[in-house]
Amino acid sequence: MARRLIPTLNRVLVEKIIPPSKTTAGILLPEASTKLNSGKVISVGPGLRSSEGNTIPPAVKEGDTVLLPGYGGTQVKLGEKEYVLYRDEDILGTLHD
């Protein structure tokens, strides 16, 4: 079994962040209040090639927290964990604290 997946071209491997459904005090949160579709970038491909042959690097890097589209991506399961492969241009933006 593969231990590490390195995406090709401009693809990005993302692990979706599952928001907590309950506060530390034990209050259950409704699903609508926790629905921010985000994830952590696990691995990034080298990028696309321009018509001149230059590499165009992806806009995100490993460790970034990104905002994901509601649909799309390719589901990938490595071991017990599930990941999603997106194209670089499908990622909506990066999230910062």
Side-chain angles (χ1 to χ4, degrees):
M1 187 57 166
R3 293 183 149 257
R4 179 168 167 91
L5 173 67
I6 300 174
T8 59
L9 299 174
N10 67 334
R11 291 185 174 74
V12 179
L13 185 68
V14 176
E15 181 178 12
K16 286 195 173 185
I17 296 173
I18 311 290
S21 60
K22 174 187 323 191
T23 65
T24 54
I27 300 171
L28 294 175
L29 299 172
E31 187 177 324
S33 69
T34 61
K35 190 165 177 137
L36 180 61
N37 204 11
S38 61
K40 182 178 177 185
V41 175
I42 302 299
S43 185
V44 179
L48 283 177
R49 295 262 181 202
S50 67
S51 57
E52 293 83 31
N54 300 324
T55 301
I56 303 168
V60 296
K61 60 186 183 306
E62 289 182 21
D64 283 351
T65 302
V66 293
L67 183 62
L68 303 170
Y71 300 99
T74 303
Q75 302 289 330
V76 177
K77 187 170 183 179
L78 295 173
E80 297 299 316
K81 292 194 172 189
E82 291 190 13
Y83 302 98
V84 185
L85 266 174
Y86 290 98
R87 292 182 188 270
D88 180 46
E89 61 265 11
D90 291 341
I91 293 175
L92 303 176
T94 58
L95 299 171
H96 302 277
D97 289 334

